[in-house]
Amino acid sequence: SHLQHHSPLPSNESFGLTLPPEEYRQLTIARSPARMRAYLAAIGTTHRTDGAPPACHLLYMKYSPSEQCTLLYQWGEQFWIGLLPWQKAPPTAHAYHLASLGLWLYPFPHDPALPALATVLDDSTLTEQLRAGLPFCQEDEQEVVRAHATPLRYRPGKRCTIQIDLLLRSRRQHVPWRQRFYGKLYHDRDKAAAVYDEMHLLTNAVAASGCTLTLATAVAFVPALNLVLQAPVTGQPLDLLLQATASDADSRAVERAAQALATLHRLPVTTVRLRPAVNDVAKLSRRAAKVATVAPAIGETMVALAEQLTQLAVHLPAWGATTSIGHGDCKPSQFLLSAEQVALLDFDHCGMADPAADVALFLATLRQGRIQQQTRTHRQPAAGRGPDDAQRNAFYTAYTATFGACPGFAQRVAWYEGLALLRKAWRSFARSPWSPLPMLLIEEGRRGLARIAM
């Protein structure tokens, strides 16, 4: 959302960037909708009814210095995936190569990293795959008459969330009815299988516990498509509720989310996927070093924050570090709230981890939202208390009251929040290397670590 679609890219030196000249030239053009519109017009077929050329928008960008840049364009009603590969040649199927720019373009849904996406979005092929892959079809009870998939969320090269509408029919009574599922298509089969298995473990544990937490039921795993299907879950996303409600309602909503998270952490579930924090710090340290090669000021500050996290990590055991089942991507958008229940979504990053990590990521996301809002309004982000503090305090207090917190839990949360802000800073840089947001997130992380009582 912080990509400035129609603004020119600042000069290579504007934010202390030192990109290689050719890499900078390619990014300058590829991230400019005004310039890319001419390239897309040469290969696309979309036309407006009034004869005007279609609008062009840059919807997504992920830049890894000297390795690859992935982009997603909307040109009229068409979507195009762009790749700037600097290390290895990309797949050529369905590709248009803009030699003068070194850019490879793939028409959606022909994502080279998600080859099953085009299959899933073809109704006849999807229908055949689901007939062969859905458990209730194998048990001779029902049959799929027709299936249709609608993309909802898409991350190029990684995954796509889809809505699947089925027309089913009973084999015995020949009575048709409609059924809706939600699915997620992954780039990696092992990842999809692990998510499916963990969803089963968690839903069974929740059912046995009789708690008010709700999880989506895993309906099927279709290995041929790397597709996991789940049943619908009702409720309103917490992030939208926080934008629309008054402060008292804000606090009650985040309290309910915190209680649901604490319930998840107390489930007697163990998985084979481990999420040790030291691995995350090491990975981000390597990424920060790469950032430093093209953006010394930002990258070196990232490296310094990673080093600070490494030094403090030795105190985690003394602060009571423990391990439980964790969500791994805990933020307001993952909670659906209704009057009767709280549902928790998206277990892509589920695994065994310190429960403080989920609490910290939720708090860091609130902090990030405040900083983004202040940058959009051109206000200097405050170093002290901010408008997100009431929500943060409500979440932390409700969580610790439900789960219980040993001495040192606050220090662990502060450490993991620093880690979460470092990760968010790296992702922000990948989406917009010239944005002020990465440095603001790093500075917020360093201030948080400085407040840890040793």
Side-chain angles (χ1 to χ4, degrees):
S1 61
H2 59 276
L3 289 174
Q4 300 300 310
H5 293 165
H6 298 289
S7 62
L9 183 70
S11 67
N12 206 6
E13 297 79 19
S14 295
F15 291 100
L17 300 179
T18 58
L19 279 66
E22 179 60 13
E23 197 168 308
Y24 174 77
R25 182 189 74 85
Q26 292 172 301
L27 282 177
T28 301
I29 300 173
R31 61 86 55 198
S32 170
R35 298 187 184 186
M36 285 305 302
R37 193 163 85 173
Y39 286 102
L40 295 174
I43 59 176
T45 58
T46 298
H47 300 285
R48 286 176 28 168
T49 55
D50 59 5
C56 181
H57 302 281
L58 178 61
L59 304 180
Y60 174 87
M61 174 175 165
K62 182 179 178 181
Y63 166 58
S64 181
S66 302
E67 293 182 4
Q68 179 172 290
C69 184
T70 304
L71 309 106
L72 179 64
Y73 303 99
Q74 181 179 3
W75 184 69
E77 297 180 355
Q78 292 184 342
F79 296 89
W80 292 85
I81 302 135
L83 290 180
L84 284 169
W86 293 303
Q87 284 196 355
K88 60 182 180 179
T92 58
H94 306 287
Y96 293 86
H97 184 215
L98 304 180
S100 63
L101 186 56
L103 178 68
W104 295 77
L105 288 168
Y106 303 81
F108 182 84
H110 296 289
D111 186 330
L114 288 172
L117 182 56
T119 300
V120 169
L121 297 182
D122 178 81
D123 288 0
S124 60
T125 309
L126 176 63
T127 300
E128 292 300 321
Q129 291 285 350
L130 293 183
R131 284 172 180 165
L134 291 179
F136 50 74
C137 291
Q138 305 306 307
E139 296 167 359
D140 246 5
E141 299 175 0
Q142 306 165 20
E143 63 177 339
V144 178
V145 178
R146 185 170 60 253
H148 175 74
T150 304
L152 300 179
R153 291 182 298 276
Y154 171 56
R155 183 180 176 188
K158 287 294 184 181
R159 47 193 167 267
C160 184
T161 302
I162 56 177
Q163 173 184 299
I164 298 181
D165 292 293
L166 301 176
L167 179 62
L168 301 172
R169 182 170 56 204
S170 167
R171 284 194 172 99
R172 295 180 180 179
Q173 301 177 348
H174 303 288
V175 176
W177 72 93
R178 298 186 183 278
Q179 177 73 56
R180 174 169 290 176
F181 294 129
Y182 292 91
K184 185 169 285 189
L185 188 74
Y186 296 86
H187 76 292
D188 182 82
R189 184 166 302 172
D190 291 341
K191 168 90 168 183
V195 171
Y196 177 72
D197 290 342
E198 287 166 352
M199 288 180 68
H200 263 300
L201 286 172
L202 290 168
T203 51
N204 291 339
V206 167
S209 70
C211 61
T212 58
L213 172 66
T214 299
L215 306 177
T217 301
V219 175
F221 169 48
V222 186
L225 301 174
N226 298 348
L227 176 66
V228 176
L229 286 183
Q230 65 182 46
V233 180
T234 59
Q236 293 182 283
L238 177 58
D239 58 333
L240 300 183
L241 286 172
L242 296 183
Q243 295 173 16
T245 57
S247 58
D248 288 345
D250 285 355
S251 296
R252 180 56 190 143
V254 297
E255 286 170 0
R256 294 180 64 200
Q259 291 160 356
L261 179 65
T263 300
L264 173 75
H265 289 161
R266 297 176 69 176
L267 292 176
V269 173
T270 302
T271 78
V272 298
R273 288 203 291 177
L274 306 179
R275 302 292 187 189
V278 291
N279 289 2
D280 286 344
V281 177
K283 182 190 298 183
L284 286 168
S285 295
R286 293 190 296 269
R287 290 174 172 176
K290 289 185 178 180
V291 171
T293 64
V294 296
I298 296 175
E300 290 169 7
T301 309
M302 284 185 183
V303 169
L305 179 54
E307 291 175 349
Q308 190 176 3
L309 286 165
T310 301
Q311 293 168 3
L312 289 171
V314 298
H315 299 284
L316 289 172
W319 293 335
T322 185
T323 300
S324 72
I325 188 69
H327 184 274
D329 192 23
C330 183
K331 52 193 177 184
S333 60
Q334 306 289 26
F335 293 87
L336 291 182
L337 275 66
S338 65
E340 300 80 18
Q341 65 185 27
V342 177
L344 191 51
L345 308 177
D346 191 357
F347 286 85
D348 288 353
H349 303 280
C350 178
M352 305 305 295
D354 189 335
D358 280 341
V359 176
L361 180 53
F362 189 99
L363 300 180
T365 304
L366 294 178
R367 186 74 81 202
Q368 179 188 30
R370 188 254 293 181
I371 295 173
Q372 287 177 318
Q373 178 62 30
Q374 291 174 321
T375 56
R376 281 193 292 267
T377 57
H378 304 289
R379 292 170 53 199
Q380 183 66 29
R385 295 179 61 85
D388 60 323
D389 279 328
Q391 298 170 6
R392 288 168 53 87
N393 291 338
F395 187 87
Y396 182 88
T397 301
Y399 177 88
T400 52
T402 306
F403 185 79
C406 67
F409 185 73
Q411 286 92 333
R412 282 158 51 204
V413 169
W415 187 91
Y416 278 103
E417 188 171 1
L419 176 61
L421 288 167
L422 175 59
R423 186 184 300 110
K424 288 176 179 294
W426 176 81
R427 289 177 177 170
S428 178
F429 177 84
R431 291 168 183 162
S432 183
W434 39 89
S435 167
L437 186 58
M439 188 65 82
L440 294 173
L441 292 169
I442 298 167
E443 291 171 353
E444 192 71 36
R446 296 179 73 178
R447 281 194 291 266
L449 292 184
R451 291 193 288 266
I452 292 180
M454 296 298 297

